[in-house]
Amino acid sequence: MKNEQPATFSVTDAPAWLRDAVFYEIYPQTFYDTNGDGIGDFAGITEKLPYIRSLGCNALWINPCFDSPFKDAGYDVRDYKRVAPRYGTNEDLYHLFEEAHRQGIRVILDLVPGHTSEEHPWFLKSGEETPNEYSGRYIWSDDWIKGIPGAPYIGGERPRNGTYMLNFFKCQPALNYGWLHPTEPWQCATDSPEALATREAMKDVMRFWLDRGADGFRVDMAGSLVKGDDDQKSGTCAIWRDIRTMLDREYPEAALVAEWSWPEQAIVSGGFHADFYLDHWDNGYHTLLRDGENSFFRRDGRGDIHRFLKDYLPRYATSRDHGYIAMITCNHDTPRVCPDLTPEEAKLAYAFLLTLPGVPFIYYGDEIGMRYQAGMPTKEGGYTRTGTRTPMQWAAGKNLGFSGADASLLYLPVDASPDAPTVAAQEGDPASLLETVRALVRFRHEHKDLAADTDFEAFEIPGEPHALVYRRGGLYLCVNPSGKAVPLPEAIAKKLSGRQCLFALGANRAGDASDILPPESFAIYGA
Ligand code: NOJ
Ligand code: CA
């Protein structure tokens, strides 16, 4: 059972395809419905692969699409090896893998290792009175009246004489990967047979999908495995290094992306190839796009790039030799950036996100500026997240092209505003957000200097926090989201002088670099 594990992994050992990967995240419920039942399906994703490819995206992440009671939109898995019938069959998903690969697109699935649905057969067995193979698969106290200190738990639901620990919602009992320092007889160590069995079961799930064509996993709540006082995550990271070691041996092309947002733990200690930079209150990412009038990308705002850099640079410095930070336009848990940002502001924001090191993820519909739908009734445990999960807006007309179903049958209503952005309305218009995203992604693919692992250096402009000059390899990039021109100090202007503009947005024009950054502009300069 023991594996030799390196203490850390090198970025050079990550799958090579990640260097040039641009991901597209799909919430399968609302991407494209092909059979008129009001909910998206695998056939819909397969049909839209050419569109995804047309964006320049060469990888996909699909949110959980497995059998589930959907109390948390599928993050409550009832069967890890069977897809939810509402999306199609396992064969439909295998076909999607094949078609995607034929079109140059990798597909990663969502792995939910920390918990299952309360309806998972493992959990039902685990809750039986008579001890059995699954008794130790979840975390149970040893008396129906005894709780689990410091953690949410439930009693009174199952025949077993104990209470069980939750990992998130009430419907999501925590799987047992052990306790770092067990203090009670009912707490297992991380190398106990019970904890190891859980770990092996999760490897088995991973092998199942990798053998059938998946290209890796986005890992839900990756930091949540080991219980007890695993605050530094040494126990949880050791498990991920073990899993990474298995992947390196058996599936060296498979990508492992953490939902953790702590690269020092996820990437350096845990061996993940990439870790999302999530929207957490007041972190660097938040200050770029999601801090109201203080967002860096708000034209009239009071943005300050230093707030981003002071959080981002240490994360980047500690993790760059080991893996990638994944920048996101948004995800299914986060309010969309529009309408808080205008489409013009979003162009500059995306230009920045798509030219940073690491692996970028575009959330479906962000490329056309789909707007967060405030105040929607909650759907499948979405609560305020529901407004970010509405149907993709393909074209004017019935259900904005998402589905042929009666509007009352839709998983969620489409954006009802008369000026709701659509793919069809923007396609072919070079001034649109959609075509801007396409041009940016194309430029990224065409320039190795923008690859995930090419170095990054920031040049803050003294006294002007609302603009930035930065370097990727041999390219110099300038972004000024503010409504005013920003003169560059000589030391920075000198770096740009004589360079050719290779790409520009806003008031920048092709030609030599000047020592003033025009308002609301972005430009990339070459040699
Ligand atoms: C994070 C997922 O992104 C979120 O949607 C889900 O509700 C929780 N983890 C629980 O699995
Ligand atoms: Ca359907």
Side-chain angles (χ1 to χ4, degrees):
M1 191 61 80
K2 279 239 146 38
N3 258 329
E4 307 122 47
Q5 303 167 357
T8 58
F9 297 81
S10 164
V11 70
T12 55
D13 296 332
W17 62 269
L18 281 177
R19 296 186 60 239
D20 187 39
V22 177
F23 275 84
Y24 193 69
E25 177 190 346
I26 290 185
Y27 191 71
Q29 286 90 322
T30 47
F31 190 58
Y32 189 50
D33 171 26
T34 56
N35 63 350
D37 63 356
I39 190 153
D41 40 56
F42 294 131
I45 300 175
T46 307
E47 194 175 321
K48 293 296 185 184
L49 288 170
Y51 169 75
I52 294 162
R53 194 61 240 196
S54 80
L55 298 173
C57 291
N58 51 11
L60 268 189
W61 155 32
I62 307 175
N63 288 111
C65 50
F66 312 105
D67 177 50
S68 168
F70 291 104
K71 290 187 176 175
D72 185 15
Y75 283 95
D76 45 334
V77 179
R78 186 164 50 196
D79 185 343
Y80 284 104
K81 295 185 180 174
R82 201 167 78 87
V83 302
R86 69 191 201 178
Y87 302 129
T89 62
N90 275 28
E91 283 65 33
D92 293 331
L93 181 55
Y94 309 153
H95 177 63
L96 163 54
F97 294 150
E98 265 169 46
E99 270 305 301
H101 294 160
R102 215 176 46 75
Q103 297 180 44
I105 300 173
R106 314 258 181 173
V107 184
I108 68 169
L109 298 177
D110 215 311
L111 181 76
V112 188
H115 48 267
T116 66
S117 158
E118 64 198 341
E119 294 182 20
H120 195 293
W122 294 344
F123 182 69
L124 299 179
K125 287 295 285 178
S126 194
E128 288 178 3
E129 260 182 301
T130 320
N132 59 62
E133 186 189 343
Y134 297 98
S135 301
R137 184 58 52 93
Y138 298 81
I139 298 172
W140 292 85
S141 74
D142 56 4
D143 195 337
W144 67 274
I145 202 72
K146 195 193 280 180
I148 299 186
Y153 64 88
I154 295 281
E157 288 275 314
R158 314 296 321 165
R160 178 170 170 162
N161 181 27
T163 62
Y164 58 93
M165 189 194 264
L166 303 177
N167 218 31
F168 195 67
F169 285 157
K170 179 258 167 192
C171 61
Q172 291 158 322
L175 282 162
N176 180 18
Y177 293 85
W179 295 65
L180 190 62
H181 302 297
T183 53
E184 301 279 342
W186 50 269
Q187 297 174 355
C188 297
T190 56
D191 60 355
S192 63
E194 294 87 344
L196 290 176
T198 307
R199 192 195 300 189
E200 292 308 312
M202 210 44 66
K203 286 184 192 166
D204 175 56
V205 169
M206 296 173 86
R207 290 187 179 107
F208 178 88
W209 290 108
L210 294 170
D211 287 341
R212 284 158 183 77
D215 296 291
F217 302 95
R218 171 271 188 191
V219 179
D220 186 68
M221 293 175 68
S224 74
L225 304 190
V226 172
K227 308 304 184 194
D229 52 358
D230 192 21
D231 298 344
Q232 303 306 311
K233 301 294 174 188
S234 64
T236 297
C237 287
I239 292 176
W240 287 116
R241 284 200 303 280
D242 174 49
I243 291 174
R244 167 72 188 269
T245 304
M246 178 281 277
L247 288 180
D248 282 1
R249 277 196 200 135
E250 299 175 32
Y251 305 93
E253 284 292 283
L256 202 55
V257 183
E259 190 214 13
W260 197 315
S261 211
W262 195 333
E264 198 175 339
Q265 292 180 346
I267 297 174
V268 184
S269 305
F272 276 87
H273 299 121
D275 181 28
F276 289 114
Y277 198 2
L278 297 175
D279 178 36
H280 290 162
W281 175 247
D282 214 28
N283 74 2
Y285 174 74
H286 184 84
T287 71
L288 291 177
L289 318 165
R290 301 171 180 284
D291 198 15
E293 60 181 16
N294 293 322
S295 292
F296 180 67
F297 283 100
R298 282 277 284 262
R299 177 187 187 278
D300 301 320
R302 300 191 292 258
D304 179 349
I305 196 64
H306 186 70
R307 296 173 66 209
F308 168 72
L309 292 172
K310 78 168 193 278
D311 185 49
Y312 172 75
L313 288 175
R315 292 174 186 248
Y316 172 63
T318 35
S319 60
R320 57 175 291 183
D321 292 340
H322 304 281
Y324 304 122
I325 292 176
M327 301 297 302
I328 59 172
T329 60
C330 185
N331 68 19
H332 62 288
D333 292 331
T334 309
R336 289 186 187 270
V337 290
C338 296
D340 202 41
L341 297 189
T342 66
E344 292 310 306
E345 290 168 332
K347 284 182 191 172
L348 301 182
Y350 296 169
F352 186 61
L353 297 176
L354 289 166
T355 54
L356 286 176
V359 184
F361 280 67
I362 298 170
Y363 183 58
Y364 82 96
D366 279 355
E367 71 277 19
I368 56 170
M370 269 177 64
R371 301 173 192 138
Y372 178 70
Q373 303 295 307
M376 295 198 74
T378 183
K379 176 84 177 181
E380 295 188 347
Y383 300 95
T384 56
R385 308 176 293 183
T386 307
T388 291
R389 301 173 174 184
T390 57
M392 178 66 181
Q393 298 160 198
W394 295 101
K398 187 171 185 183
N399 299 326
L400 298 180
F402 160 64
S403 165
D406 189 88
S408 64
L409 291 177
L410 298 190
Y411 176 84
L412 283 172
V414 298
D415 181 349
S417 47
D419 63 345
T422 64
V423 173
Q426 296 185 24
E427 204 130 49
D429 173 4
S432 67
L433 186 55
L434 172 62
E435 295 300 346
T436 302
V437 169
R438 283 182 170 151
L440 280 162
V441 176
R442 197 177 319 122
F443 190 93
R444 183 176 170 113
H445 289 314
E446 286 167 358
H447 291 82
K448 283 208 161 45
D449 282 338
L450 295 182
D453 57 346
T454 305
D455 59 327
F456 167 83
E457 193 180 1
F459 306 103
E460 288 187 66
I461 304 166
E464 184 42 82
H466 210 166
L468 184 72
V469 175
Y470 54 107
R471 182 181 65 75
R472 295 291 320 280
L475 298 177
Y476 281 80
L477 300 90
C478 306
V479 63
N480 176 16
S482 77
K484 55 183 197 298
V486 171
L488 292 175
E490 209 187 319
I492 298 181
K494 253 185 18 212
K495 295 182 192 296
L496 301 179
S497 97
R499 292 178 179 274
Q500 277 296 307
C501 182
L502 304 179
F503 186 98
L505 293 176
N508 271 301
R509 259 167 288 277
D512 284 353
S514 94
D515 53 7
I516 295 183
L517 304 184
E520 297 175 79
S521 68
F522 170 82
I524 306 178
Y525 296 97

